Amino acid sequence: MRNLYLAAAMLACATSAQAAETYIIDPAHTYPNFKISHLGFSTMHGRFGDTKGELVIDWEKNRGSVDIVIDAASVDTGFKKRDDHLRSPDFLNAAEFPEITYVSDDVVIHADKTATVNGELTIMGVSKPVTLAVKSINCGEHPMQKGTFVCGFDAEGKIKRSDFGVTYALPAVGDEMKLEIEVEAKRK
């Protein structure tokens, strides 16, 4: 009987040491940003203010997963008239396609606390593979919320908006968009 308890305890320890951790996106501290050429004169910056989702990290295997949902109507460039146009069928068509999603196929966490995320980005119902380079992963106890464990990530990537059927004003408004995503997520 003692051997049975010992085996069960060893199995429980082994399982918990290899268990993946789930993190919930903190929408108040997560901002997908984009940069795009505006008529060849300047770079327009924008962001999305409403993001939710979940991350899973398996530190033992240096793997993970990402599932993000962005409210397309939350686009914000600091200019209401332009934002309304970006929500229209000319660009994001937020009424018909209210969500932009990113779901990972593979996440590899590197020894230097960076990562490579391969996944599917869906904009206006069109899904395309997109790779994100996570430049930093910082985790620890939240300094203002004792007992809350948080991880922060800075990721970047590039897409062509025309790949997703967003072709209005090409080539005057750039096709290539640079993505920068700051994420904070709290461990469940």
Side-chain angles (χ1 to χ4, degrees):
M1 189 68 143
R2 179 183 153 132
N3 286 341
L4 182 60
Y5 286 124
L6 182 58
M10 288 173 61
L11 179 60
C13 287
T15 303
S16 67
Q18 295 179 7
E21 298 176 334
T22 300
Y23 292 80
I24 304 301
I25 296 292
D26 178 353
H29 296 98
T30 298
Y31 298 102
N33 300 276
F34 60 89
K35 298 178 185 179
I36 192 165
S37 173
H38 185 256
L39 306 175
F41 297 119
S42 64
T43 301
M44 185 187 73
H45 296 248
R47 70 177 200 152
F48 292 90
D50 188 358
T51 303
K52 61 186 174 187
E54 184 174 280
L55 311 170
V56 176
I57 302 172
D58 187 328
W59 296 109
E60 293 291 319
K61 295 178 182 175
N62 291 321
R63 297 300 226 198
S65 66
V66 176
D67 189 352
I68 303 290
V69 178
I70 301 167
D71 178 0
S74 71
V75 67
D76 180 7
T77 64
F79 184 59
K80 184 181 180 332
K81 185 174 179 180
R82 178 174 45 229
D83 296 344
D84 289 343
H85 192 199
L86 290 174
R87 292 180 190 105
S88 79
D90 286 343
F91 288 99
L92 295 173
N93 196 3
E96 188 174 342
F97 301 99
E99 295 181 342
I100 297 168
T101 61
Y102 184 78
V103 178
S104 66
D105 299 323
D106 185 42
V107 176
V108 178
I109 302 168
H110 308 293
D112 62 352
K113 296 289 185 179
T114 63
T116 303
V117 181
N118 295 301
E120 291 282 319
L121 177 65
T122 302
I123 300 173
M124 287 186 16
V126 177
S127 298
K128 296 287 181 181
V130 172
T131 297
L132 298 175
V134 178
K135 298 297 184 182
S136 67
I137 302 171
N138 299 297
C139 300
E141 185 177 21
H142 194 292
M144 294 182 226
Q145 298 174 12
K146 297 296 180 197
T148 301
F149 194 80
V150 176
C151 282
F153 310 85
D154 290 330
E156 57 186 43
K158 292 180 183 176
I159 64 169
K160 286 189 173 183
R161 64 186 181 99
S162 60
D163 288 347
F164 297 90
V166 184
T167 58
Y168 180 83
L170 282 175
V173 174
D175 193 16
E176 183 177 273
M177 296 181 72
K178 294 180 183 176
L179 307 175
E180 294 177 350
I181 306 163
E182 296 84 32
V183 176
E184 284 187 24
K186 296 178 180 179
R187 186 168 60 193
K188 260 184 159 175

